[in-house]
């Protein structure tokens, strides 16, 4: 037994014992669960996914009716989760960046307003904010007949926001192609302008040029294709609006709460990133004759973003997971319709909860992988 006196050998032995113990524990839990399921006569397996759901979903981006299967329920719930998460991430990023920069403004009023926003919404539970937007703000909107009317095409009332819905016909792919070409051209222009700036120090209006391309090329494609996109406008008929696109109060309340709550943490990450930039960098930018705006754009923000990305990644993941709180107001995301309604109908809790947990895990790992790749690309390479 003298080999046990070797610290390296003991370390390996302890790790093996830990692994074996963990595997045996998992096997015991699995076997115990299987025995209990069999003893209670509970059905197991995934056959229920192909059975008829027997209920409708009020808000679905996919085709769905009461004859659809529980697999369709899962797809609709996942689609709604991804939609609200994507919108929330984009809006929270924009709002967080603005508030984070405003927090450090030399204007006392702007700075105090930004600080007040952060302190208020960061310290209120997000579930309470969801209920506030749903039961207080959106519920106070006017009735359908007294809807707020914007340009005769956008209507806001207690039942949501009604907007025109685009209808894509033959030839619409040319518009998408024009948009993609504009993005590729914008990327090439950015690379060229960066190289030109490094070599000559001359600036190029990259933003304005790329914005012009993003507007001009799709419009040209639209005209060349013969106007293949039309709009269906909401029209008041009977007791409600018909046609167009509807954003329900449930979706809006969840989106507002997720955006406003997450933006507070992103704002703090941006603020801390800006403050972490060495003071000498800012002084060097001033000595080169850069204006405060140019200094922020070319010197401070590029370095601050590199520092802020890791905590911002965590906030994106939290936003996606916090979308499950939509069950409190009935927005048909994954937890509400699949881990809620489908579970109550089928009674197969183990499979449904397992699938739901695995889905959120995959979403989180996918978002994390993309942003970690972006974080790696943004790192300053040592010479």
């Amino acid at each position: 037994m003298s080999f046990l006196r070797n610290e390296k050998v003991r370390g390996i032995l302890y790790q093996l014992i830990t692994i074996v113990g963990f595997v045996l524990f998992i096997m015991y839990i699995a076997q115990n669960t299987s025995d209990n399921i069999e003893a209670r006569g509970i059905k197991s397996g995934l056959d229920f996914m192909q059975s008829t759901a027997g209920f409708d979903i009020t808000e679905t981006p996919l085709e769905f009716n009461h004859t659809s299967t529980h697999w369709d329920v899962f797809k609709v719930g996942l689609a709604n989760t991804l939609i609200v998460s994507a919108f929330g991430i984009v809006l929270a990023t924009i709002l967080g960046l603005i508030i984070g920069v405003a927090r450090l403004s030399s204007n006392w009023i702007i700075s105090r307003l930004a600080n007040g926003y952060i302190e208020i919404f960061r310290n209120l539970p997000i579930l309470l904010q969801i209920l506030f937007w749903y039961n207080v703000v959106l519920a106070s909107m006017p009735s359908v007949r007294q809807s707020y009317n914007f340009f005769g095409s956008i209507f806001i009332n207690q039942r949501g926001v009604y907007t025109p819905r685009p209808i894509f016909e033959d030839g619409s792919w040319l518009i998408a192609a024009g948009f993609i070409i504009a993005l590729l051209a914008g990327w090439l222009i950015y690379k060229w302008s960066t190289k030109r700036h490094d070599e000559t120090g001359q600036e190029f209006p990259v933003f304005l040029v790329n914005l012009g391309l993003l507007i001009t090329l799709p419009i040209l494609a639209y005209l060349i294709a013969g106007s293949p996109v039309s709009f269906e406008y909401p029209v008041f008929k009977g007791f409600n609006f018909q046609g167009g696109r509807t954003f329900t109060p449930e979706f809006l309340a969840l989106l507002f709460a997720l955006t406003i709550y997450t933006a507070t943490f992103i704002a703090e990450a941006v603020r801390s990133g800006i403050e972490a930039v060495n003071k000498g960098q800012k002084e060097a930018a001033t000595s080169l004759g850069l204006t405060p705006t140019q200094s922020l754009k070319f010197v401070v923000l590029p370095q601050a973003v590199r520092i802020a990305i890791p905590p911002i990644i965590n906030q994106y993941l939290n936003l996606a997971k916090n979308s499950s709180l939509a069950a409190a107001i009935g927005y048909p995301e994954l937890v509400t319709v699949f881990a809620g309604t489908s579970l109550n109908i089928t009674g197969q809790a183990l499979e449904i909860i397992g699938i739901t947990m695995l889905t959120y895990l995959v979403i989180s790992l996918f978002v994390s992988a993309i942003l970690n790749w972006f974080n790696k690309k943004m790192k300053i390479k040592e010479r």
Side-chain angles (χ1 to χ4, degrees):
M1 301 295 288
S2 59
F3 66 91
L4 292 177
R5 298 176 182 175
N6 189 306
E7 184 177 352
K8 186 176 181 180
V9 172
R10 288 202 311 271
I12 295 174
L13 183 61
Y14 293 153
Q15 292 180 53
L16 288 175
I17 293 174
T18 302
I19 293 173
V20 170
F22 179 75
V23 170
L24 291 176
F25 175 74
I26 295 297
M27 291 175 62
Y28 168 76
I29 294 295
Q31 184 62 43
N32 187 54
T33 303
S34 177
D35 293 342
N36 289 333
I37 289 175
E38 185 176 354
R40 288 167 174 76
I42 300 175
K43 293 181 179 180
S44 60
L46 299 177
D47 294 339
F48 75 94
M49 295 290 281
Q50 299 304 323
S51 62
T52 302
F55 63 91
D56 288 318
I57 297 177
T58 56
E59 188 170 354
T60 168
L62 307 175
E63 186 176 348
F64 187 90
N65 55 55
H66 67 279
T67 62
S68 300
T69 64
H70 290 287
W71 168 243
D72 296 321
V73 174
F74 171 79
K75 291 189 292 184
V76 170
L78 176 60
N80 282 331
T81 296
L82 294 177
I83 288 171
V84 74
S85 297
F87 274 105
I89 286 173
V90 172
L91 295 177
T93 301
I94 296 172
L95 181 60
L97 179 60
I98 294 173
I99 297 298
V101 174
R103 177 71 177 80
L104 298 175
S105 173
S106 57
N107 186 300
W108 186 87
I109 295 178
I110 294 177
S111 176
R112 292 301 94 192
L113 286 175
N115 183 60
Y117 163 85
I118 292 172
E119 293 302 326
I120 291 173
F121 290 104
R122 182 177 59 176
N123 293 301
L124 289 175
I126 185 171
L127 179 58
L128 184 61
Q129 294 188 44
I130 293 173
L131 295 175
F132 169 77
W133 284 104
Y134 185 68
N135 293 314
V136 178
V137 178
L138 296 176
S140 65
M141 292 291 105
S143 63
V144 176
R145 293 184 181 276
Q146 298 175 329
S147 301
Y148 294 131
N149 185 341
F150 297 91
F151 313 108
S153 57
I154 300 175
F155 303 90
I156 301 176
N157 54 56
Q158 291 178 341
R159 298 182 183 178
V161 177
Y162 299 84
T163 63
R165 181 173 68 90
I167 300 176
F168 299 96
E169 302 169 358
D170 293 339
S172 299
W173 64 271
L174 284 174
I175 300 175
F179 183 75
I180 293 173
I181 292 173
L183 290 177
L184 292 175
W187 180 75
L188 292 175
I189 290 173
Y190 170 76
K191 299 292 288 186
W192 169 80
S193 66
T194 302
K195 182 179 179 181
R196 177 173 177 262
H197 182 269
D198 292 341
E199 293 176 351
T200 65
Q202 297 178 349
E203 294 186 23
F204 186 80
V206 177
F207 176 77
L208 294 177
V209 172
N210 287 345
L211 181 62
L213 288 174
L214 285 174
I215 295 174
T216 304
L217 291 184
I219 291 177
L220 287 176
Y222 173 82
L223 297 175
I224 292 173
S227 306
V229 180
S230 58
F231 289 89
E232 178 187 73
Y233 291 88
V235 178
F236 183 74
K237 291 182 179 180
F239 299 98
N240 202 358
F241 285 92
Q242 304 293 329
R245 185 179 298 280
T246 305
F247 297 96
T248 63
E250 292 80 12
F251 172 80
L252 295 174
L254 180 63
L255 180 62
F256 290 161
L258 290 176
T259 299
I260 292 173
Y261 178 77
T262 307
T264 61
F265 295 95
I266 293 178
E268 283 297 272
V270 171
R271 179 195 60 78
S272 62
I274 292 175
E275 290 187 330
V277 176
N278 193 288
K279 185 178 179 181
Q281 296 283 321
K282 303 171 186 177
E283 294 174 345
T286 303
S287 66
L288 290 173
L290 298 181
T291 65
T293 302
Q294 291 175 326
S295 176
L296 181 67
K297 178 181 177 182
F298 296 114
V299 179
V300 178
L301 277 183
Q303 298 181 70
V305 167
R306 294 183 174 95
I307 300 171
I309 284 178
I312 289 177
I313 291 175
N314 291 332
Q315 298 311 317
Y316 289 165
L317 300 179
N318 288 337
L319 187 148
K321 290 179 286 188
N322 285 337
S323 65
S324 62
L325 294 173
I329 56 175
Y331 176 70
E333 48 75 56
L334 187 61
V335 172
T336 304
V337 295
F338 188 63
T341 309
S342 287
L343 190 153
N344 291 331
I345 292 175
T346 62
Q348 299 196 234
L350 182 63
E351 292 84 352
I352 289 179
I353 295 301
I355 292 172
T356 305
M357 292 173 62
L358 181 62
T359 302
Y360 276 103
L361 177 62
V362 170
I363 292 174
S364 297
L365 291 177
F366 179 73
V367 173
S368 179
I370 293 177
L371 294 174
N372 283 329
W373 170 82
F374 180 72
N375 183 36
K376 186 177 180 180
K377 296 289 289 185
M378 289 291 293
K379 284 184 177 179
I380 299 176
K381 296 180 177 60
E382 297 291 342
R383 296 182 179 179

